[in-house]
Amino acid sequence: MRQSLEKKETNIITTIVRPELNLEKWFAIWTPSQSRTKARLRILEKKKTGEDGSFTLQKVKINPSLEYGNLTTEDQKTWYALLVLWEKAGKPQKLIFSLRELAKTLKRTWSTKVRNALKESLLRLNISVFSWVNSYYDSKTKQTLEILDSFQIISRLVIARAEQNINSEQCICQFSDPLYQNLLINYTKPTSFDTILNFKSGVAQLIYKYLELVMQDKTYYERRSENLFDDIGLDDNEYKWLSARKRILLVAIQELKKIQFPCGILQVSIEETVDKSDWKLVVRKLS
């Protein structure tokens, strides 16, 4: 198979997943799973500079489910697992699977707690509504859409089971049409599914996705923690304190030190800024 899910390197089998590129570029749509932030409308912004020096303001608005909460880094793992199942099934328009199968793909031990968590994760992917402003690239028309409203990652979701039979629970889901078309045309970015599954810190997972993009054409990079947290969408009160950012970054870096990045071997650390007003993430590409 040309796009095999299994990649063999140095006798290690790694599952490669191919997420849609718009969602990968706007990875800050996911909030850390450990965050206690209540569900609220979030607006992400970027400035895109044109060849003539002018710029376009790009926005993504995420309106989450008030009942089930914000989209989290755990939901990103669920999204990737759905893509693994989708590729294995031959990329159908309608994906049929069981919650038990989804748990196995995510390498989770089956239990009622896991079952309920997966149901809620699927519901967040289905209920959370996006608005894309000058930011969603349609690979079919080769244009960035001016407006794309009422976008959901999962546009249709059915979860059903026979009465009193938890093991028979069957799910049917369809990805939104713009997303589905981009996936079929391979407007995607390959990433290691196993690496994502191994993250315990949601912040570490977000920084990993951030560095995947930033370090493609760099050998050295540094960013103040205040600006870094804004880049990855962490703009709540719990992240405004310097001591909190330092503590969170130290935990994240312990995980990132063990990670093989697709762009090469990265040395990741934090250092105090010269004016001692902040800490900064420092990244060096060793090879």
Side-chain angles (χ1 to χ4, degrees):
M1 180 183 283
R2 178 174 170 267
Q3 288 191 333
S4 173
L5 290 171
E6 303 300 325
K7 180 180 180 182
K8 191 171 184 179
E9 294 180 353
T10 61
N11 297 322
I12 297 176
I13 301 298
T14 302
T15 302
I16 299 300
V17 66
R18 297 170 179 80
E20 195 268 355
L21 194 48
N22 285 297
L23 296 184
E24 288 296 280
K25 288 180 177 179
W26 290 86
F27 59 87
I29 62 174
W30 316 101
T31 60
S33 54
Q34 296 86 358
S35 175
R36 298 185 296 273
T37 305
K38 292 182 179 179
R40 61 176 176 83
L41 174 68
R42 299 174 62 228
I43 302 176
L44 309 177
E45 296 182 346
K46 295 180 184 178
K47 288 183 180 179
K48 183 179 180 181
T49 305
E51 294 181 359
D52 59 355
S54 63
F55 71 87
T56 301
L57 184 61
Q58 299 178 310
K59 293 184 182 182
V60 177
K61 301 178 183 179
I62 311 105
N63 199 352
S65 162
L66 295 179
E67 181 178 359
Y68 297 106
N70 294 308
L71 285 168
T72 73
T73 47
E74 288 301 302
D75 300 325
Q76 185 181 39
K77 293 176 181 178
T78 302
W79 162 234
Y80 284 4
L82 290 174
L83 290 175
V84 170
L85 293 173
W86 179 71
E87 283 204 28
K88 285 183 177 179
K91 302 184 179 181
Q93 187 169 19
K94 181 166 63 177
L95 177 63
I96 300 174
F97 60 96
S98 68
L99 286 180
R100 199 179 188 98
E101 186 179 11
L102 182 60
K104 183 178 179 181
T105 304
L106 287 162
K107 300 181 180 179
R108 296 182 187 174
T109 302
W110 182 249
S111 67
T112 300
K113 182 178 179 180
V114 167
R115 165 186 170 270
N116 291 338
L118 291 180
K119 283 183 67 174
E120 290 188 5
S121 186
L122 289 170
L123 286 166
R124 281 190 291 272
L125 291 169
N126 174 232
I127 297 173
S128 301
V129 179
F130 293 72
S131 292
W132 302 78
V133 181
N134 297 317
S135 54
Y136 193 90
Y137 182 78
D138 184 336
S139 61
K140 190 173 183 179
T141 62
K142 295 181 169 42
Q143 292 182 334
T144 298
L145 303 180
E146 185 176 351
I147 297 288
L148 176 59
D149 275 329
S150 302
F151 172 99
Q152 298 148 286
I153 294 176
I154 296 177
S155 60
R156 177 174 179 249
L157 176 67
V158 177
I159 303 175
R161 67 180 172 93
E163 188 175 359
Q164 304 303 322
N165 187 352
I166 190 173
N167 292 323
S168 70
E169 202 149 30
Q170 187 182 66
C171 305
I172 302 172
C173 82
Q174 290 181 223
F175 305 144
S176 71
D177 189 60
L179 192 61
Y180 179 70
Q181 294 301 325
N182 275 355
L183 286 168
L184 287 180
I185 300 172
N186 293 322
Y187 186 68
T188 59
K189 184 182 185 301
T191 194
S192 168
F193 183 50
D194 300 281
T195 297
I196 297 299
L197 289 187
N198 287 333
F199 279 113
K200 295 180 175 60
S201 162
V203 173
Q205 187 173 321
L206 289 172
I207 293 176
Y208 172 80
K209 301 306 297 182
Y210 178 76
L211 293 180
E212 264 193 327
L213 296 172
V214 169
M215 294 303 295
Q216 287 182 14
D217 58 351
K218 295 180 178 64
T219 57
Y220 179 85
Y221 181 75
E222 62 178 52
R223 190 74 163 156
R224 294 174 67 102
S225 69
E226 186 176 17
N227 296 329
L228 172 68
F229 276 43
D230 185 55
D231 291 342
I232 62 178
L234 308 185
D235 58 356
D236 298 312
N237 287 335
E238 61 185 300
Y239 305 114
K240 71 178 182 179
W241 303 108
L242 175 59
S243 59
R245 294 199 301 273
K246 179 185 176 183
R247 183 183 68 253
I248 293 167
L249 280 176
L250 284 173
V251 172
I253 284 172
Q254 289 307 308
E255 289 200 63
L256 292 168
K257 284 180 178 179
K258 305 172 186 176
I259 296 301
Q260 174 64 54
F261 285 82
C263 57
I265 298 174
L266 302 184
Q267 183 184 72
V268 185
S269 61
I270 65 167
E271 299 175 9
E272 197 170 17
T273 57
V274 174
D275 61 8
K276 299 187 182 302
S277 65
D278 200 352
W279 290 83
K280 62 183 178 181
L281 183 75
V282 179
V283 187
R284 297 175 177 86
K285 186 180 289 186
L286 303 182
S287 67

